[in-house]
């Protein structure tokens, strides 16, 4: 469903098939997908431009034959002949926000007990607020 709605948008960047963007992690594996994102496909030159985290660029350069093999095997033909790596800090997909859980009375009581010995009320309040955020994040 997502591929269908993205079709027009991804065509502007040379992607004839939105699956190269939507199924990127499946195609290249989660380790590579965490550090590299496809941004443009030059269909005439069969060159895929990837935004890559700087720390991973050299490793990905050495893995280029395997990445090309995975991409072409996924699509059943020679879609890409080479990679063009552009180092950027924005190469990874943003992490989803943490799932926050609701605190129960026992959580509130434990937090209040932990900060009860703190003298200044403003500091005690700030620490209690921090404690509630940490507990809600599941830590």
């Amino acid at each position: 469903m997502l591929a269908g709605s993205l079709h027009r948008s991804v065509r502007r960047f040379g992607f004839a098939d939105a699956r190269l963007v939507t199924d990127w992690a499946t195609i290249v594996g989660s380790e590579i997908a965490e550090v590299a994102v496809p941004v443009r496909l030059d269909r005439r030159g069969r060159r895929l431009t990837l935004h890559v985290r700087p720390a991973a660029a050299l490793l990905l350069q050495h893995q280029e034959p395997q990445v090309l093999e995975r991409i072409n095997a996924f699509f059943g033909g020679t879609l890409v002949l080479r990679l063009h790596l552009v180092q950027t800090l924005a190469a990874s997909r943003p992490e989803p926000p943490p799932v926050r859980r609701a605190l129960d009375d026992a959580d509130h009581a434990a937090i209040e007990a932990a900060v009860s010995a703190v003298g200044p009320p403003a500091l005690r309040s700030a620490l209690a607020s921090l404690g509630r955020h940490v507990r809600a994040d599941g830590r």
Side-chain angles (χ1 to χ4, degrees):
M1 185 168 72
L2 180 62
S5 63
L6 285 176
H7 186 69
R8 237 182 279 140
S9 299
V10 298
R11 258 184 107 66
R12 283 187 310 148
F13 296 99
F15 298 112
D17 193 332
R19 292 181 303 163
L20 187 57
V21 176
T22 59
D23 295 342
W24 180 244
T26 303
I27 296 169
V28 297
S30 60
E31 288 181 5
I32 293 174
E34 288 179 15
V35 297
V37 179
V39 292
R40 181 172 298 279
L41 177 61
D42 175 11
R43 294 182 53 77
R44 286 190 306 164
R46 297 181 186 240
R47 182 177 77 166
L48 177 63
T49 301
L50 299 175
H51 280 182
V52 183
R53 285 190 195 163
L58 184 61
L59 179 62
L60 191 59
Q61 184 178 4
H62 290 293
Q63 292 177 329
E64 182 175 359
Q66 292 85 7
V67 173
L68 293 174
E69 183 179 330
R70 288 179 184 179
I71 293 169
N72 292 326
F74 183 85
F75 288 100
T78 306
L79 179 69
V80 180
L81 292 175
R82 61 184 185 192
L83 300 178
H84 175 69
L85 307 179
V86 178
Q87 295 183 34
T88 177
L89 295 177
S92 61
R93 301 188 195 285
E95 291 185 21
V99 177
R100 299 181 67 89
R101 66 177 184 88
L103 300 180
D104 58 16
D105 291 337
D107 290 322
H108 288 290
I111 292 167
E112 290 303 321
V115 298
S116 64
V118 176
L123 179 57
R124 183 173 47 245
S125 175
L127 289 173
S129 176
L130 175 63
R132 285 190 293 276
H133 285 286
V134 169
R135 281 266 173 121
D137 284 346
R139 292 182 267 165

